[in-house]
Amino acid sequence: MEDAYLFQVLKTLTTSEMEELRVFAGSDYFGRGHFHQEALALLTLILKNSGLHPVADWSKEALFQQLFPHQAFIKGKLEKVMSELNKLVRAFLLWQQYYRPENEFNQLFDWAILLRQRGLEPRYQQTLNKVSKLQEDEGFRENMYYYRQFLLEYEVHDWQSLFNRKKGDLNIPNTLQNLDIFYYLNRLELLNRFLLQSRATYLEIPELLTFALEETQIPERYLQESSVLLITYKIHQVLKNQNPLPEEFEELGNLLLRHEEEISPTLLRQFYAYLRNLCVLLLNSGSSGMLETLHRLQRDNLQRGYLYYNELLPPSAFLSVTDIGLKVKNLDWVKQFIERHHDMILGDNETKDFYRLGLAYYYFETGQFENALDCIPANPQGTDFLLKSRRLELMAYYELNSELLPYKLDAYKMFISRASHKLIPTRS
């Protein structure tokens, strides 16, 4: 029973959310279902057992007896109770989602529409002015800003169209401009992600994407209007270049620095991720002078929190920072970095495979080859980490002049042969 959809959703609720759900579910407005009282009893039972860490029997029959004492078990009746409680949980979570403080624009905008539909024109105009003021006070003009502005401009257009006196432009130019910028921002970002993914793994580019990549001209007036669109477009141009130049990296970095104050931390994190990836592409194409630049960039982004996800470091970022730090011979800093993130690597397992691989990098770079071999995980997670582990293993055996090296080489060749067409990109 604990694997049921209802229980899976309830497991995601915090203690305070569970208490709020109890109040919400007890409302007379929502208490109209045929099994509402039984649904409340089931919720109380769940809360009583510490939010799904039960001490009792949670089989269907046991639950049925607690909800319907002295009744014979009826197949399907318990499921109806659970369905009723599931509806309450769904309504509660949607209500919480909609009434978040950061959703104030949608709340005010929807309220304005309701006022218009009910014929309360003065109140409608007053509320629409509040929505406009909320937009004016928005600090960052990014993707969602232009979407909200499009909704607002379209509402003005719709209202003017109702009373069209064949004067004016019906607010169509403003509506189109915000729709266009929102469209270009989303389109370019998706294309940029695709281009970056194609550098990381083997992808067949479908005809639709081929056409899309050829049709990326942006009107100059929009690039002047939105610094975010300008940066996104510049990233796109660089990623389309199979052999990007250091000068392009410099230009993009300077562009980011000039407009940092206009960009939210969330989007800055995304832009700097592209900048780091561009640095890696340049390194892979032979621009070894970018090593120190990438190391400085990674340290800066670490300090600003751009490499973390929920205060944890993704394994790819952990290994990349370790590898680059070692290559620039900042050994003491790397050792401190590895130990500081011992328990802060996203998705690391009980045997700490990602942490151990990073430590193996350090040991190899400092000539401790036996220690490196001891730290290399036996079965690393994912193809990329498996490749990194096996390469490092071969390098350590080579340095030790080990008799095992030929056998390890044969095994590695076999793996590459089998995986090359499906998993390994044609270019790194």
Side-chain angles (χ1 to χ4, degrees):
M1 285 298 295
E2 294 173 73
D3 293 330
Y5 174 61
L6 169 66
F7 284 76
Q8 290 176 349
V9 174
L10 286 172
K11 284 179 182 178
T12 67
L13 270 60
T14 64
T15 303
S16 60
E17 285 175 331
M18 290 290 268
E19 291 303 322
E20 288 292 312
L21 174 59
R22 187 206 297 271
V23 176
F24 183 91
S27 166
D28 290 340
Y29 180 83
F30 296 100
R32 304 178 188 187
H34 184 64
F35 290 102
H36 182 72
Q37 291 305 316
E38 290 80 4
L40 287 179
L42 177 57
L43 178 60
T44 301
L45 187 63
I46 292 171
L47 291 172
K48 182 180 177 182
N49 283 275
S50 304
L52 306 175
H53 295 289
V55 295
D57 182 0
W58 286 84
S59 65
K60 287 185 180 182
E61 291 77 9
L63 274 178
F64 186 92
Q65 286 303 314
Q66 293 192 63
L67 297 175
F68 303 98
H70 314 300
Q71 290 187 30
F73 180 77
I74 302 174
K75 187 177 180 181
K77 192 171 184 179
L78 178 61
E79 282 76 7
K80 291 180 180 178
V81 175
M82 293 174 66
S83 177
E84 181 66 24
L85 180 54
N86 187 59
K87 290 177 184 176
L88 289 170
V89 173
R90 180 174 178 272
F92 167 71
L93 289 176
L94 287 172
W95 182 88
Q96 278 207 328
Q97 175 78 6
Y98 183 73
Y99 283 104
R100 292 173 301 152
E102 55 267 37
N103 206 24
E104 184 181 5
F105 175 91
N106 288 334
Q107 296 162 20
L108 273 176
F109 185 76
D110 288 347
W111 181 240
I113 302 301
L114 283 169
L115 291 172
R116 173 167 65 83
Q117 291 172 344
R118 292 172 182 271
L120 301 172
E121 181 183 340
R123 296 295 184 185
Y124 159 72
Q125 293 292 350
Q126 186 181 42
T127 305
L128 210 58
N129 289 337
K130 287 183 181 178
V131 180
S132 299
K133 181 65 167 61
L134 198 65
Q135 274 291 89
E136 290 173 9
D137 294 340
E138 174 60 48
F140 303 110
R141 301 199 168 190
E142 298 171 356
N143 185 307
M144 290 309 297
Y145 168 86
Y146 288 103
Y147 172 67
R148 292 192 295 263
Q149 193 63 31
F150 160 69
L151 291 178
L152 187 56
E153 301 291 359
Y154 193 90
E155 178 61 26
V156 173
H157 158 72
D158 211 21
W159 178 256
Q160 290 182 6
S161 297
L162 289 173
F163 304 96
N164 190 354
R165 298 180 176 86
K166 299 181 181 179
K167 290 170 130 184
D169 58 21
L170 299 178
N171 202 43
I172 290 173
N174 289 338
T175 305
L176 275 176
Q177 173 169 307
N178 286 280
L179 175 61
D180 279 349
I181 295 178
F182 173 71
Y183 162 73
Y184 283 124
L185 279 170
N186 282 275
R187 188 177 193 273
L188 280 176
E189 175 56 25
L190 287 172
L191 290 175
N192 289 348
R193 293 182 185 185
F194 182 86
L195 287 170
L196 196 57
Q197 183 72 0
S198 69
R199 301 293 186 104
T201 188
Y202 175 75
L203 289 177
E204 290 187 9
I205 301 180
E207 188 178 38
L208 177 64
L209 259 295
T210 301
F211 291 141
L213 290 167
E214 293 172 354
E215 300 165 349
T216 53
Q217 288 299 314
I218 312 295
E220 185 64 31
R221 64 185 183 279
Y222 293 156
L223 297 176
Q224 293 176 1
E225 161 70 20
S226 171
S227 57
V228 170
L229 180 58
L230 177 62
I231 294 168
T232 306
Y233 183 51
K234 178 59 183 175
I235 291 170
H236 183 74
Q237 289 179 310
V238 176
L239 288 176
K240 283 181 70 174
N241 187 352
Q242 291 298 320
N243 298 297
L245 302 172
E247 292 80 7
E248 293 178 299
F249 172 87
E250 290 291 333
E251 183 183 350
L252 180 56
N254 291 332
L255 190 61
L256 260 178
L257 286 174
R258 283 203 305 274
H259 295 284
E260 270 199 353
E261 293 184 358
E262 305 165 32
I263 305 170
S264 69
T266 300
L267 190 55
L268 271 177
R269 174 196 299 265
Q270 180 177 305
F271 282 158
Y272 273 106
Y274 279 116
L275 197 63
R276 294 193 306 273
N277 276 289
L278 174 57
C279 215
V280 172
L281 293 177
L282 286 165
L283 281 169
N284 291 343
S285 65
S287 300
S288 57
M290 300 300 294
L291 267 175
E292 288 283 355
T293 301
L294 180 55
H295 182 55
R296 287 196 302 270
L297 186 58
Q298 288 177 333
R299 292 183 67 176
D300 169 81
N301 287 187
L302 271 172
Q303 185 176 0
R304 295 207 258 179
Y306 293 160
L307 294 183
Y308 294 94
Y309 178 80
N310 289 340
E311 300 184 357
L312 296 176
L313 197 61
S316 57
F318 170 76
L319 292 177
S320 176
V321 172
T322 300
D323 181 45
I324 298 302
L326 291 171
K327 284 178 178 175
V328 299
K329 304 302 180 183
N330 198 350
L331 304 180
D332 291 340
W333 181 89
V334 170
K335 188 63 162 61
Q336 293 173 7
F337 165 79
I338 291 172
E339 295 305 332
R340 188 167 65 249
H341 292 86
H342 181 275
D343 297 310
M344 295 176 61
I345 303 174
L346 185 67
D348 218 346
N349 54 22
E350 292 181 0
T351 55
K352 302 290 182 185
D353 282 355
F354 296 129
Y355 163 77
R356 289 171 55 211
L357 183 55
L359 200 56
Y361 277 9
Y362 172 79
Y363 283 136
F364 180 87
E365 192 63 33
T366 54
Q368 304 176 66
F369 305 121
E370 293 284 1
N371 288 341
L373 285 171
D374 290 340
C375 284
I376 295 173
N379 298 296
Q381 306 171 50
T383 303
D384 187 43
F385 298 111
L386 179 60
L387 286 170
K388 292 178 187 295
S389 298
R390 297 293 80 86
R391 285 182 193 137
L392 185 60
E393 184 181 54
L394 291 174
M395 289 160 58
Y397 279 124
Y398 175 81
E399 295 292 341
L400 291 168
N401 197 24
S402 172
E403 296 178 355
L404 294 174
L405 181 60
Y407 304 102
K408 293 291 183 179
L409 275 171
D410 288 341
Y412 187 68
K413 290 176 183 176
M414 182 63 69
F415 170 76
I416 294 295
S417 174
R418 291 174 177 174
S420 59
H421 299 297
K422 294 182 179 179
L423 302 172
I424 302 173
T426 53
R427 59 184 182 277
S428 57

